Amino acid sequence: MINQIDIASFGSFSGLVWKKVVRDSGKNVKTFQRLNILYGRNYSGKTTLSRIFRALETGKLPSNYTGASFTVTGNKGAVTCSELLTHDYDVRVYNRDFVAENLGFLVNQDIGGEIKTFAIVGEKNKEIDDAIAAVETKLGSVEAKAGLRFDLEGRKKERDRTKGGHSAALSALDGKLRSHAADKIKKNPQYGVPVYNIDNIKRDIATTKTAGFTPLTLLEQAAKAALLKQEALPDITATLAIALRYESLKSQAEPLLSKSITPTKPIQELLNDSLLQLWVKQGIPHHRDKRDVCAFCRQSLPHDIWQTLDEHFSKESGDLEKDLENTIDAVKSEIATVAGLITLRNDQFYTEQRSSFDTCSQALADELGIYKKDLEGLKKLLEARKNDLFQPVELPPSLHNPKEIQQHVNAINDLIATNNNKTKTLEEDKASAKDALRLADVSAFADAITYDSELANIATLKTNADTADTAYTSAEKEIRDAEVEVQTLRNKQRDERKGAGRVNSLLNNFFGHDGLKLEPRDSPDKATVKFEITRDGKAAYNLSEGECSLIAFCYFIAKLEDPDSKGKELIIYIDDPISSLDSNHIFFMFSLIESLIAKPVKKADSSNAYRYKQLFISTHNLDFLKYLKRLSIPTKKIATGDGKTKSSSDHEHFMIERNGAGSNILLMPSYLKDYITEFHYLFHQIYKCKDQAAAQVSHEPFFGFGNNLRKFLEAFLFFKYPYHDDKSDSFERIKKFFGEEEDTAIALVNRLNNEFSHLEAVPDRSFKPIEIPEIAMVANYVLDKIHASDPIQYNALLKSIGEPERAA
């Protein structure tokens, strides 16, 4: 159904926003219901509004409506001017455009306008009916929970469910990928990717799944991260070169250590005590030619002391000592040289080479430590021989390995070469490190979200969705084929002559026009049929406006039974079908709408089935509006909040009004909606004044009481005493109705009748407050008198204003 219409620009409507203007007294937005009655004076915009509905029916805008813009909103979605050919609303409109398009003859009788033919279902053909029934049974319905249509609904739900499951799983995975790509990769300066999206991360995940990919270890990641912080280092210009002299020193020391010498006249005591001999030897420089007394014991030195010592410490021993000292100095020099052999530092190398440099440097230092120990051992042996010149010493084998030392030197030199080359490739290496770190991150992320399992699950869901979609498409095609078959069968029953017969039946049965008919005429070739209006068997011209209205509306009603309309849930819009019709025809028009459209059909379970999905009727005629209030009112079930439902009326009344150049849609005011006649309205206003406490809630009826009472009594008493003579004025009628004995009451009623409904003779009346208790008293007096006079009529009046009957 259609709920509301927003009209930015269309004919006399401009800037109409439904939710702003169509509200009740409580500011609640109201919408179109199943049955909608619209009232508007001529030229208020009724036909313009109907043209919006007709645009939905025809799929095109009427001519000369440039710049049109509107939105029709309902349970099947919103429809704008650009979507007139794609909506799902089945609309049928009766308005002047319908008449002009289908019944051109009625518009242009002088130039012989045409009347379009239409077909309705012809005479029953049992064989075709059985075939149609069989296909219809096969088709079934959702409501009946059987047949292809019901199965299609199930397949649709399954398609939507599987499609939704696949979409949800895919969206969830994509959401994780997008989030990680944006928050963890793109925003991480370490990776250096200012543009990184879901496509990039999917490609990276695919790379991590290739056979040659190996994730970085934590140590490798740390090294790559450190490399990214590395700045270009200066080249290491010197290489490491170590020349070991141990062998040459050994060759020099070995003869000295093994050489045997003897003193000329040895002092046996010194030979027996090497320390004493060293002590004596060291004391010679401190005493020779310096002292005659021993610096230690203070005894005089013997006169032959120097000759004796020279004979013990011969020239040969002195030469050996001198050679030993020279060799010791050479060994010391080599030991000092070893300490300064490794001059390279860790920070001269790039991060990636530092670990290898440290390893090689430490290994070289360890080997040089052994080499140093060999030198120090050699030095000790030389010093020991020097201290004991007459005692030869044997040289043990060395422990250091010159080949290993050279291997470590070569390894360090290789690192120097690699490090120097690194400066040239640093930027490329950094880019590679960024890629490696990013892929390591992506690989860990893919494992954390079980990416492969998610893909497998999504693939399964996609297969299920495709299978369900295929099943739905096949079922949908099967239904379309069956519907085509039904239409083909129905086409065999089409009979355009029956269309004219149906129009004539409506004219005759509802309006009594048996002389005016719509006759089918065969074309000269007998191939086609055309419609012609006749009167008493002859072609009719100069039809009155009322006759044109009757024929046009009967044509519309009959056309609702053509194959394109019959059996569909129609939204019917009838625009002002009354034109130059007398009161009888107006009633018959109402009867036609009520009996063939509005009146529900009882189903087997006694519930109502309606012959329309939604019905709109607009009019400018108050008599017709009065009849429309008697239409069968549809009902609907609404929830009560406690899990139950209750029936409620499913109709609404609207008013179309025009202010200046613009039209508007409003809720119909109560004075038009709630009362069939003004007489009922006046009675209701008097009834509201029976209780003076009601003035606290609504004072308007009390201010209008005098005028309302006067008009009500004039109408009520005129019909009660319709005779006329010179004495039958309104006051005489009041006295006759209330009785001669009630002079006081009659005077009070007459006073209120005059003073409260006229201010010309009593202008001060408007400056005083009204006497509410007096009004309530008179209201009850009048009501009681009417009830006493005719309780049946009184209760009927109460019923007309929605009040309970009064007990006798």
Side-chain angles (χ1 to χ4, degrees):
M1 292 198 301
I2 291 173
N3 300 324
Q4 65 182 54
I5 302 176
D6 295 298
I7 310 174
S9 176
F10 191 84
S12 59
F13 288 91
S14 178
L16 171 62
V17 180
W18 182 277
K19 291 184 178 180
K20 289 185 179 180
V21 297
V22 188
R23 291 175 177 264
D24 61 17
S25 58
K27 302 303 181 183
N28 301 303
V29 177
K30 308 298 285 185
T31 61
F32 287 133
Q33 302 298 306
R34 182 187 286 269
L35 173 61
N36 303 278
I37 307 300
L38 301 94
Y39 172 77
R41 296 189 177 119
N42 285 327
Y43 310 109
S44 61
K46 299 189 302 302
T47 298
T48 300
L49 182 63
S50 73
R51 282 175 172 151
I52 293 179
F53 283 80
R54 183 150 175 82
L56 297 178
E57 177 183 3
T58 63
K60 61 182 179 181
L61 294 170
S63 59
N64 301 324
Y65 276 70
T66 58
S69 176
F70 59 78
T71 301
V72 177
T73 305
N75 64 327
K76 293 184 178 180
V79 184
T80 64
C81 296
S82 61
E83 300 167 323
L84 295 176
L85 294 173
T86 58
H87 65 84
D88 294 324
Y89 298 100
D90 289 316
V91 183
R92 299 294 182 270
V93 177
Y94 174 81
N95 63 5
R96 68 181 63 173
D97 296 337
F98 170 85
V99 176
E101 181 178 337
N102 294 277
L103 298 108
F105 174 78
L106 299 181
V107 178
N108 298 298
Q109 297 181 41
D110 294 337
I111 60 175
E114 294 183 351
I115 298 179
K116 289 185 179 180
T117 61
F118 66 92
I120 61 175
V121 176
E123 294 295 334
K124 294 291 182 180
N125 182 308
K126 187 175 186 310
E127 183 179 346
I128 295 177
D129 286 346
D130 291 344
I132 291 175
V135 179
E136 290 287 5
T137 301
K138 177 182 176 183
L139 285 169
S141 68
V142 176
E143 293 77 9
K145 297 183 179 180
L148 297 178
R149 292 192 178 104
F150 178 68
D151 292 342
L152 181 67
E153 186 71 13
R155 293 180 189 273
K156 181 178 182 296
K157 291 178 180 178
E158 179 63 13
R159 181 200 65 179
D160 294 344
R161 184 190 68 80
T162 54
K163 184 179 179 181
H166 170 256
S167 179
L170 183 60
S171 296
L173 179 60
D174 284 352
K176 294 177 183 177
L177 295 176
R178 285 192 179 91
S179 176
H180 195 81
D183 299 335
K184 302 299 183 181
I185 303 295
K186 182 179 178 180
K187 293 182 180 179
N188 192 333
Q190 187 180 63
Y191 303 141
V193 281
V195 178
Y196 195 84
N197 53 37
I198 188 171
D199 294 330
N200 299 113
I201 197 171
K202 284 182 177 180
R203 284 195 292 269
D204 280 350
I205 291 176
T207 300
T208 64
K209 302 300 180 182
T210 57
F213 177 80
T214 302
L216 297 176
T217 64
L218 292 177
L219 289 177
E220 288 172 334
Q221 291 182 44
K224 297 289 186 185
L227 172 62
L228 297 179
K229 300 177 183 179
Q230 183 68 62
E231 299 296 332
L233 297 175
D235 286 349
I236 302 173
T237 56
T239 57
L240 187 61
I242 297 179
L244 301 179
R245 295 177 59 203
Y246 183 85
E247 291 301 324
S248 64
L249 292 173
K250 176 183 176 183
S251 299
Q252 182 179 345
E254 205 165 22
L256 299 176
L257 294 173
S258 61
K259 184 177 182 180
S260 296
I261 59 171
T262 56
T264 306
K265 289 183 178 181
I267 302 172
Q268 190 61 44
E269 187 176 6
L270 296 180
L271 292 175
N272 294 336
D273 190 344
S274 61
L275 292 177
L276 180 60
Q277 180 177 254
L278 177 62
W279 181 75
V280 171
K281 183 179 179 183
Q282 291 175 341
I284 291 175
H286 297 289
H287 291 78
R288 189 191 291 271
D289 299 328
K290 295 180 179 179
R291 293 176 178 273
D292 294 328
V293 177
C294 177
F296 178 72
C297 64
R298 303 294 182 182
Q299 298 294 321
S300 298
L301 296 173
H303 66 88
D304 59 349
I305 185 65
W306 303 117
Q307 182 180 356
T308 301
L309 290 174
D310 286 342
E311 288 177 350
H312 180 81
F313 296 104
S314 63
K315 181 179 184 302
E316 184 181 14
S317 64
D319 291 340
L320 177 59
E321 182 179 17
K322 185 176 182 180
D323 290 339
L324 286 171
E325 287 177 350
N326 291 334
T327 305
I328 289 172
D329 289 342
V331 172
K332 287 181 178 179
S333 175
E334 180 66 3
I335 291 173
T337 300
V338 170
L341 284 177
I342 305 177
T343 58
L344 295 172
R345 302 185 313 277
N346 174 286
D347 60 1
Q348 290 179 278
F349 290 85
Y350 288 106
T351 303
E352 290 186 352
Q353 279 74 49
R354 286 177 184 174
S355 177
S356 298
F357 170 76
D358 289 342
T359 300
C360 293
S361 179
Q362 185 60 48
L364 178 59
D366 292 343
E367 288 296 326
L368 289 178
I370 297 173
Y371 176 64
K372 182 179 178 182
K373 286 181 180 179
D374 283 345
L375 290 174
E376 289 174 344
L378 180 59
K379 181 172 77 70
K380 287 181 180 180
L381 289 176
L382 291 170
E383 289 174 344
R385 181 63 193 269
K386 175 186 173 185
N387 295 333
D388 192 0
L389 294 172
F390 303 105
Q391 184 65 42
V393 178
E394 184 178 355
L395 182 65
S398 62
L399 299 176
H400 71 277
N401 188 336
K403 290 184 178 180
E404 284 195 17
I405 290 175
Q406 189 57 46
Q407 287 177 354
H408 294 318
V409 169
N410 294 339
I412 291 175
N413 285 333
D414 290 341
L415 286 174
I416 291 173
T418 301
N419 192 73
N420 290 343
N421 289 330
K422 190 72 176 177
T423 301
K424 301 175 183 177
T425 63
L426 180 60
E427 294 306 318
E428 294 180 3
D429 293 340
K430 283 185 177 181
S432 178
K434 289 178 180 179
D435 290 342
L437 287 170
R438 188 185 73 252
L439 290 175
D441 185 318
V442 169
S443 178
F445 168 70
D447 291 341
I449 65 171
T450 60
Y451 182 77
D452 291 338
S453 298
E454 288 291 320
L455 282 185
N457 180 52
I458 289 172
T460 301
L461 293 174
K462 180 65 166 62
T463 300
N464 294 340
D466 290 343
T467 301
D469 184 64
T470 300
Y472 173 80
T473 302
S474 299
E476 193 176 37
K477 182 180 182 302
E478 187 176 2
I479 289 175
R480 285 198 305 270
D481 292 344
E483 289 174 340
V484 169
E485 184 180 355
V486 169
Q487 187 61 45
T488 301
L489 290 170
R490 283 179 175 164
N491 287 341
K492 295 179 180 179
Q493 293 182 320
R494 289 170 64 96
D495 190 344
E496 292 173 331
R497 290 173 174 78
K498 292 296 180 181
R502 181 58 174 158
V503 173
N504 295 332
S505 174
L506 296 175
L507 282 171
N508 186 31
N509 294 337
F510 284 89
F511 300 103
H513 276 271
D514 55 350
L516 201 62
K517 292 183 178 181
L518 194 63
E519 295 286 351
R521 303 295 190 198
D522 291 327
S523 63
D525 58 2
K526 304 295 184 179
T528 60
V529 174
K530 69 175 183 177
F531 286 166
E532 182 181 69
I533 298 176
T534 65
R535 180 183 281 115
D536 298 327
K538 298 178 181 180
Y541 296 94
N542 302 318
L543 298 174
S544 69
E545 189 174 347
E547 289 174 326
C548 290
S549 295
L550 294 178
I551 293 172
F553 194 68
C554 289
Y555 179 94
F556 173 76
I557 295 296
K559 202 170 186 302
L560 293 178
E561 298 180 28
D562 71 5
D564 292 333
S565 300
K566 193 174 181 64
K568 293 185 177 180
E569 294 186 330
L570 298 180
I571 297 174
I572 301 174
Y573 195 112
I574 300 173
D575 175 44
D576 218 353
I578 305 302
S579 177
S580 301
L581 297 180
D582 59 28
S583 58
N584 283 337
H585 283 145
I586 291 174
F587 175 76
F588 290 142
M589 189 75 76
F590 157 75
S591 300
L592 182 61
I593 295 174
E594 165 67 11
S595 61
L596 297 184
I597 298 179
K599 187 176 182 179
V601 177
K602 288 294 182 181
K603 296 192 292 188
D605 60 357
S606 297
S607 62
N608 289 334
Y610 294 96
R611 288 178 271 195
Y612 59 91
K613 183 68 175 178
Q614 194 172 20
L615 178 59
F616 296 82
I617 307 175
S618 67
T619 184
H620 74 285
N621 187 289
L622 289 173
D623 286 335
F624 190 51
L625 178 63
K626 177 182 68 176
Y627 288 125
L628 291 179
K629 293 175 183 177
R630 303 179 185 176
L631 285 174
S632 297
I633 304 300
T635 59
K636 60 183 176 181
K637 297 290 185 180
I638 59 173
T640 60
D642 55 358
K644 299 180 180 179
T645 60
K646 67 177 182 178
S647 295
S648 175
S649 64
D650 195 3
H651 79 297
E652 190 56 85
H653 294 72
F654 298 89
M655 174 176 267
I656 302 175
E657 67 174 13
R658 187 163 185 164
N659 292 320
S663 296
N664 207 0
I665 302 176
L666 305 170
L667 289 178
M668 187 179 290
S670 61
Y671 71 84
L672 277 176
K673 174 183 177 182
D674 297 333
Y675 302 105
I676 297 175
T677 66
E678 185 180 9
F679 181 73
H680 295 83
Y681 170 78
L682 294 171
F683 177 79
H684 197 185
Q685 298 307 303
I686 295 170
Y687 188 84
K688 288 179 180 179
C689 296
K690 64 190 291 288
D691 183 2
Q692 68 182 40
Q696 302 296 325
V697 180
S698 177
H699 59 274
E700 289 87 353
F702 290 87
F703 273 101
F705 180 79
N707 195 49
N708 293 334
L709 177 64
R710 178 178 59 81
K711 293 173 69 177
F712 174 78
L713 289 178
E714 285 178 356
F716 178 75
L717 296 177
F718 177 81
F719 283 100
K720 192 166 186 66
Y721 306 112
Y723 64 88
H724 177 74
D725 57 34
D726 293 339
K727 295 182 179 181
S728 60
D729 60 7
S730 60
F731 182 67
E732 292 297 325
R733 289 190 176 97
I734 289 174
K735 288 197 300 179
K736 189 173 183 63
F737 179 70
F738 290 103
E740 297 288 346
E741 70 279 4
E742 298 288 346
D743 291 339
T744 302
I746 292 172
L748 183 57
V749 170
N750 196 49
R751 173 174 172 261
L752 287 174
N753 250 352
N754 288 278
E755 290 187 16
F756 278 61
S757 62
H758 301 288
L759 294 177
E760 181 179 7
V762 284
D764 61 323
R765 168 73 256 166
S766 62
F767 303 114
K768 298 178 181 180
I770 62 174
E771 293 88 347
I772 290 176
E774 188 176 354
I775 289 173
M777 181 178 67
V778 171
N780 280 291
Y781 179 75
V782 172
L783 294 173
D784 291 343
K785 193 65 177 177
I786 295 173
H787 178 260
S789 173
D790 191 344
I792 296 176
Q793 182 186 23
Y794 182 78
N795 283 327
L797 287 170
L798 288 179
K799 186 176 181 181
S800 73
I801 63 173
E803 294 291 339
E805 292 186 359
R806 179 174 173 176

